[in-house]
Amino acid sequence: MAMLQPQHHHLFLLRHRPPPPRLRLRLPTRPSSPHRLLPRARAVSAAASTAALEDFRRWLSSHGAGEGKALPAAVPEGLGLVAARDLPRGEVVAEVPKKLWMDFDAVAASDIGRACGGGGGLRPWVAVALLLLREVARGADSPWAPYLAILPRQTDSTIFWSEEELLEIQGTQLLSTTIGVKDYVQSEFESVEAEIINANKDLFPGTITFDDFLWAFGILRSRVFPELRGDKLALIPFADLVNHSPDITSEGSSWEIKGKGLFGREAMFSLRTPVDVKSGEQYDLDKSNAELALDYGFIESNPYRDSYTVTLGISESDPFYGDKLDIAELNGLGETAYFDVVLDEPLPPQMLTYLRLLCIGGTDAFILEALFRNSVWGHLELPLSPDNEESICQVMRDACKSALGAYHTTTQEDEELLETENLQSRLKIAIGVRAGEKKVLQQIDDIFKQREEELDGLEYYQERRLKDLGLVGDNGEIIFWET
């Protein structure tokens, strides 16, 4: 019933999460041969040189991209957009015409699209990944050559970590997520390798390996705007140089796709400043914590970036499975529910309510009867009975204890390691991730430990019911009537 699962949860290429067994905590295990993590993706270009950057700028200009307000430039993260002058909030800093996008339409118009019937049988991200690899193979003959030349050779994303490096995140949700993503990409690669790559050697004359395919996947995950999913998935050269900033917290969109040219028929990707930007400063966008380590290869130390996903599920072996599932679905949940717990924040809404539902049994089962079907959720928002409330505390504390026992270091050891000078970047990510997870797990345990200590002072359903009937006073005293 209680499982603690990965947070990455806004994966735009991977959304599958397997259902959990009742009262069982699924822990990531040491990588074994079925999940063998292959070497880092083969480099497809040298680090962007000054000459390559100038070629890229000229290429953009020749195709009418950009407005001269922000320029691609070297920044600490690698490449980014730097303001050419002071820019007020909401000003357009870049416009990229659709003819420069690498998207599903570009695939359909390419040799790959013609070989695959327009690419309609492929997942959009797979189709764009194949286009990316095909254009890389074409070298200087590719119309995107100047753009491809500045793409990063590699990142610190965990999908590119070695087995030894992954051991540093032993016990974390990030490890199980990373392995799951790599398995998914491997499966997709094996399919397209047999059906497309090997069947079209004229399009892919060289050897395309899993590492190459994984590199393309990593490029898409780190550079595609999150809202551009499914058939809309697209690499937008120039605009994709926007980096992450912890100082930008606006949730409003900073871009739009609009029509331009005669009758507005030419689609244009328009990028705006989310905040005021000074000349010479980098133009950034805020991106979710769920993406950072897996997609971009970095993390932040801000407490609100530390989170842990609790997965709760109704077991099919539960004698009241049907009733509980019906109640959950009537209230917008299901057989499995995911709750992201954030450091220093209260438990997510409905988490306690769902837990109480899962732990109903014995004499409390009366509340599952059809008579209560429309009101039961409201009753469960408050403590049901001492036994039920004690059960949810035990379930969560046992799960936290099991999860904390899977890490090979303590929180104190991690904090001491983080004080070490000149830490290798991937080790720093690993320590930060596992330390953050442990802090949240300890917070969850503390919440339910405190609740255990307060059980005798809580007001339960029967007492509330008697008060509603006027049979018990506000202080719990029984009320008698005299004739």
Side-chain angles (χ1 to χ4, degrees):
M1 180 173 64
M3 293 179 65
L4 304 180
Q5 287 263 38
Q7 186 196 356
H8 298 293
H9 1 321
H10 301 289
L11 299 180
F12 73 88
L13 300 178
L14 179 64
R15 293 197 178 96
H16 172 70
R17 281 196 268 194
R22 178 180 170 85
L23 288 176
R24 182 175 179 181
L25 180 72
R26 189 180 69 180
L27 296 173
T29 57
R30 181 182 298 269
S32 57
S33 54
H35 296 143
R36 187 172 66 85
L37 297 160
L38 301 175
R40 195 168 302 151
R42 184 181 65 184
V44 297
S45 67
S49 64
T50 302
L53 199 53
E54 286 299 326
D55 286 344
F56 179 57
R57 289 172 179 165
R58 285 192 292 270
W59 178 73
L60 291 171
S61 178
S62 69
H63 289 285
E67 293 199 349
K69 300 174 185 177
L71 301 172
V75 295
E77 295 90 339
L79 288 179
L81 291 185
V82 173
R85 60 172 174 79
D86 291 357
L87 300 172
R89 179 177 181 176
E91 181 157 348
V92 174
V93 295
E95 289 190 329
V96 185
K98 184 172 173 58
K99 62 185 177 183
L100 296 187
W101 306 358
M102 300 189 80
D103 62 359
F104 200 72
D105 288 340
V107 174
S110 71
D111 293 337
I112 294 176
R114 288 186 284 274
C116 304
L122 299 173
R123 299 181 191 275
W125 79 262
V126 173
V128 177
L130 288 175
L131 176 65
L132 183 59
L133 292 172
R134 161 65 176 159
E135 296 305 319
V136 166
R138 293 179 66 187
D141 292 334
S142 169
W144 287 281
Y147 169 61
L148 301 175
I150 68 163
L151 291 180
R153 298 165 58 114
Q154 62 188 41
T155 71
D156 282 331
S157 164
T158 53
I159 65 173
F160 299 127
W161 287 19
S162 67
E163 290 188 23
E164 183 179 359
E165 289 167 333
L166 284 170
L167 291 178
E168 293 295 338
I169 54 173
Q170 179 82 21
T172 66
Q173 294 186 324
L174 179 57
L175 176 59
S176 57
T177 303
T178 300
I179 291 174
V181 167
K182 293 195 72 169
D183 283 349
Y184 171 67
V185 177
Q186 177 79 54
S187 174
E188 292 295 324
F189 173 69
E190 290 172 356
S191 176
V192 297
E193 182 184 34
E195 298 174 11
I196 298 175
I197 296 175
N198 291 341
N200 294 277
K201 285 300 183 181
D202 55 325
L203 301 181
F204 303 99
T207 300
I208 302 294
T209 67
F210 169 68
D211 287 353
D212 298 322
F213 193 69
L214 185 64
W215 171 83
F217 174 88
I219 288 293
L220 294 178
R221 290 211 33 127
S222 63
R223 305 182 83 83
V224 168
F225 285 75
E227 295 86 351
L228 295 178
R229 299 168 176 155
D231 292 343
K232 297 179 181 178
L233 186 143
L235 279 173
I236 313 289
F238 187 39
D240 66 354
L241 293 179
V242 171
N243 288 312
H244 167 89
S245 172
D247 300 321
I248 298 176
T249 57
S250 171
E251 295 182 359
S253 177
S254 295
W255 61 270
E256 64 178 336
I257 295 175
K258 59 184 182 180
K260 202 166 185 178
L262 186 63
F263 305 118
R265 291 177 178 174
E266 181 181 17
M268 186 77 70
F269 184 94
S270 181
L271 191 66
R272 300 186 302 273
T273 53
V275 295
D276 294 340
V277 182
K278 297 294 184 182
S279 177
E281 288 183 346
Q282 190 179 177
Y283 167 58
D284 298 326
L285 287 178
D286 182 43
K287 294 174 182 175
S288 71
N289 187 48
E291 299 169 317
L292 298 183
L294 185 71
D295 294 349
Y296 305 103
F298 70 89
I299 60 170
E300 293 177 359
S301 58
N302 296 329
Y304 70 91
R305 297 294 185 188
D306 293 327
S307 65
Y308 205 98
T309 297
V310 175
T311 303
L312 303 174
I314 306 170
S315 172
E316 292 184 358
S317 63
D318 190 316
F320 306 107
Y321 171 81
D323 289 324
K324 292 181 179 181
L325 180 58
D326 186 39
I327 292 168
E329 290 178 341
L330 283 173
N331 291 278
L333 298 172
E335 182 180 17
T336 304
Y338 305 93
F339 300 95
D340 292 334
V341 182
V342 179
L343 189 63
D344 297 335
E345 296 288 338
L347 293 176
Q350 296 193 310
M351 179 173 164
L352 281 175
T353 310
Y354 193 82
L355 269 168
R356 291 185 183 116
L357 175 67
L358 300 188
C359 290
I360 289 176
T363 57
D364 291 329
F366 73 91
I367 206 164
L368 297 174
E369 295 176 5
L371 174 68
F372 296 94
R373 194 55 42 101
N374 293 327
S375 61
V376 61
W377 198 255
H379 292 311
L380 294 177
E381 289 177 345
L382 297 171
L384 177 62
S385 70
D387 287 345
N388 181 266
E389 205 71 8
E390 184 177 11
S391 293
I392 71 172
C393 293
Q394 290 176 347
V395 164
M396 292 309 303
R397 295 203 67 193
D398 288 348
C400 289
K401 180 179 179 181
S402 180
L404 286 166
Y407 298 98
H408 67 278
T409 58
T410 65
T411 301
Q412 182 178 349
E413 288 171 339
D414 288 337
E415 291 176 347
E416 291 174 355
L417 284 170
L418 286 173
E419 297 298 324
T420 306
E421 294 184 2
N422 302 319
L423 272 180
Q424 193 266 346
S425 60
R426 294 185 180 183
L427 179 58
K428 188 173 183 179
I429 292 170
I431 297 171
V433 167
R434 69 192 189 214
E437 287 190 3
K438 281 180 277 192
K439 289 177 184 177
V440 180
L441 284 168
Q442 190 59 59
Q443 171 180 295
I444 297 171
D445 184 66
D446 290 343
I447 288 172
F448 285 95
K449 178 182 179 182
Q450 180 178 352
R451 198 162 193 83
E452 279 183 327
E453 296 170 353
E454 298 172 346
L455 290 177
D456 291 340
L458 297 177
E459 183 178 76
Y460 298 100
Y461 171 80
Q462 292 292 0
E463 185 177 350
R464 295 194 300 272
R465 180 61 176 159
L466 290 174
K467 282 185 178 181
D468 290 341
L469 295 173
L471 301 178
V472 172
D474 291 338
N475 296 319
E477 73 279 11
I478 298 176
I479 297 175
F480 295 95
W481 289 271
E482 295 180 0
T483 59

